[in-house]
C-alpha cells in the first residue's frame, strides 16, 4: 500500500520505510511543505485510493514527492499514473515537448546529441537554471509537471530549488502585481520547443488570478525569453526579478538536494503555483526525466 506522509512526519519516520536504500532524507521544513507518498509496487498507479491521494495532494499543496520502491527506468509507473489521473480525476493528458519530442524529455547533459530541432535545451547543459515555470511560452501552459530521478548528481550539484508563488506575491507591490497581470509581455518560444504550428512567440500576461480559494495567483515566468512591451511592464518585471534575488525570498526557498531526491524519487508540482530552479550540474551522468500535463489557457489579462 502507498502511504501519505503529511507535514508532521520527520525525516526519521520516512527512513523507517520498507525501502531504506532509497529512503529520502527530509528535514522538518521539507516535510512540512512537501508531502511524501511511498509506492511499493507499480500497480498502485491504477488503484483508486492512490490516485485520490495524489490528486488531492496536488490540489491542496501544489507539490508532492513520490518515492518508488522498485526500479522503473522506463517511467512506466509515471506514465500509467498520469493516464489514470486523466481517466479518473479529469487531468489533461501530457503535452508533447516539441514537433520532434513526445511526452517524456530526458534532462541530462549533452554536448552533441540533442532531443529536438537540432538545438540544445537549457536542460541539456550543466549550467544553472534560474527561477522559472515550465512552458511560459505556451498559450495553454501545462498545470502540472513531474521529474523522475534516474541518476542523482553524485558530486553535490544540480540541486532542485522550489519557491511558492503566493509567498512571492506577498513581497510584490500592488502596482507590480497589476502590471504583471496585463497583456504587455512578449514570450519567445525557445527553438528546441517550436511545435508543428511554428508559433515563435506569444503575447500575454505573467500573472493571473487563480480562480479558486486555495491559492492567490498563477504565475508564468522565464526571464531570458520574456520581453516587456511597455515601460510599466518593464518596471514590474524588474521588481519581480529583484524580489526573486533578495534575502526574504531566499528564506522562503526549499532546496531539494540529492539525498532528499534519491534515485526513484518523483517530484510533482503545480506549474503555476510553484517556481523552480537548479544550480550548476557537476555530474555529467545526472539524469532526470520530465513530463508535463493538464494544459489549459492561462488566466485572462487584466485591463
Amino acid at each position: 500500500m502507498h502511504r501519505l506522509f503529511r507535514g508532521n512526519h520527520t525525516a526519521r519516520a520516512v527512513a523507517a520505510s520498507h525501502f531504506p536504500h532509497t529512503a529520502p532524507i527530509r528535514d522538518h521544513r521539507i516535510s512540512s511543505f512537501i508531502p511524501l507518498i511511498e509506492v511499493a509496487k507499480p500497480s498502485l498507479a491504477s488503484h483508486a485510493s492512490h490516485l485520490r491521494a495524489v490528486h488531492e495532494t496536488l490540489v491542496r499543496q501544489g507539490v508532492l514527492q513520490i518515492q518508488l520502491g522498485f526500479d522503473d527506468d522506463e517511467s512506466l509507473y509515471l506514465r500509467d499514473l498520469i493516464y489514470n489521473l486523466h481517466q479518473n480525476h479529469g487531468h489533461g493528458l501530457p503535452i508533447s515537448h516539441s514537433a520532434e519530442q513526445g511526452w517524456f524529455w530526458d534532462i541530462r547533459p549533452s554536448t552533441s546529441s540533442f532531443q529536438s530541432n537540432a538545438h540544445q535545451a537549457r536542460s541539456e547543459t550543466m549550467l544553472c537554471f534560474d527561477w522559472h515555470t515550465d512552458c511560459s511560452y505556451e498559450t495553454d501552459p501545462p498545470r502540472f509537471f513531474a521529474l523522475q530521478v534516474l541518476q542523482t548528481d553524485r558530486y553535490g550539484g544540480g540541486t532542485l530549488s522550489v519557491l511558492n508563488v503566493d509567498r512571492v506575491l506577498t513581497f510584490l507591490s500592488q502596482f507590480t502585481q497589476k502590471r504583471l497581470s496585463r497583456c504587455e509581455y512578449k514570450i519567445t518560444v525557445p527553438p528546441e520547443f517550436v511545435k508543428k504550428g511554428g508559433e515563435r512567440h506569444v503575447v500575454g500576461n505573467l500573472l493571473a488570478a487563480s480562480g479558486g480559494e486555495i491559492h492567490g495567483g498563477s504565475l508564468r515566468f522565464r526571464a531570458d525569453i520574456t520581453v516587456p512591451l511597455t515601460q510599466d511592464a518593464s518596471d514590474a518585471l524588474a521588481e519581480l526579478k529583484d524580489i526573486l534575488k533578495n534575502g526574504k525570498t531566499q528564506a522562503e526557498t526549499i532546496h531539494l538536494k540529492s539525498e532528499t531526491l534519491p534515485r526513484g524519487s518523483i517530484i510533482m508540482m503545480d506549474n503555476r503555483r510553484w517556481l523552480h530552479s537548479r544550480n550548476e550540474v557537476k555530474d555529467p551522468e545526472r539524469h532526470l526525466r520530465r513530463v508535463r500535463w493538464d494544459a489549459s489557457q492561462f488566466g485572462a489579462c487584466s485591463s
Side-chain angles (χ1 to χ4, degrees), residues 137-267:
Y137 46 83
E138 296 268 8
T139 301
D140 302 329
R143 182 180 177 190
F144 300 114
F145 76 92
L147 297 169
Q148 179 174 342
V149 180
L150 300 175
Q151 171 63 57
T152 63
D153 189 313
R154 297 164 294 178
Y155 308 123
T159 296
L160 176 69
S161 299
V162 299
L163 177 62
N164 183 266
V165 167
D166 281 348
R167 297 303 302 154
V168 174
L169 295 182
T170 65
F171 303 127
L172 292 176
S173 67
Q174 288 299 311
F175 168 86
T176 288
Q177 292 190 44
K178 184 176 181 179
R179 287 301 177 182
L180 292 174
S181 300
R182 294 187 174 181
C183 286
E184 298 178 350
Y185 299 90
K186 178 181 177 181
I187 309 170
T188 300
V189 181
E192 64 273 15
F193 295 133
V194 172
K195 297 187 177 180
K196 290 182 179 179
E199 188 173 57
R200 301 290 174 169
H201 71 269
V202 298
V203 174
N205 51 333
L206 303 186
L207 181 64
S210 68
E213 299 180 357
I214 296 177
H215 63 105
S218 297
L219 183 70
R220 59 175 170 186
F221 174 71
R222 179 173 159 178
D224 62 319
I225 59 173
T226 302
V227 177
L229 300 178
T230 68
Q231 185 58 52
D232 283 347
S234 180
D235 293 343
L237 183 59
E239 182 179 325
L240 174 59
K241 290 179 181 179
D242 287 343
I243 288 296
L244 291 175
K245 295 177 182 177
N246 74 17
K248 291 181 179 179
T249 300
Q250 291 176 15
E252 297 287 343
T253 299
I254 301 171
H255 301 290
L256 303 173
K257 298 182 179 181
S258 293
E259 57 264 31
T260 303
L261 294 178
R263 173 177 164 81
S265 286
I266 299 173
I267 189 81

Side-chain angles (χ1 to χ4, degrees), residues 49-95:
S49 61
H50 181 59
L51 292 168
R52 184 169 57 253
V54 171
H55 170 72
E56 291 179 352
T57 303
L58 284 174
V59 170
R60 182 179 64 252
Q61 297 288 118
V63 63
L64 165 67
Q65 181 177 353
I66 288 174
Q67 187 63 41
L68 303 181
F70 51 89
D71 286 335
D72 186 15
D73 287 350
E74 300 301 317
S75 300
L76 300 180
Y77 160 83
L78 183 55
R79 180 201 65 186
D80 293 346
L81 176 68
I82 295 172
Y83 180 76
N84 287 314
L85 286 171
H86 165 69
Q87 292 285 87
N88 294 275
H89 292 280
H91 289 221
L93 287 172
I95 65 170

Side-chain angles (χ1 to χ4, degrees), residues 3 14-25 38 67-69 259 262:
R3 290 187 289 167
V14 172
S17 73
H18 287 93
F19 310 101
H21 59 288
T22 58
I25 299 174
E38 287 188 334
Q67 187 63 41
L68 303 181
E259 57 264 31

Side-chain angles (χ1 to χ4, degrees), residues 264-293:
S265 286
I266 299 173
I267 189 81
M268 308 179 82
M269 295 177 60
D270 187 316
N271 188 44
R272 304 178 188 191
R273 293 166 59 188
W274 288 82
L275 291 153
H276 62 288
S277 66
R278 76 164 190 216
N279 63 5
E280 181 183 4
V281 174
K282 297 181 179 179
D283 186 348
E285 300 301 318
R286 178 184 184 267
H287 185 190
L288 280 62
R289 183 167 292 132
R290 180 179 65 210
V291 61
R292 302 156 165 166
W293 75 99

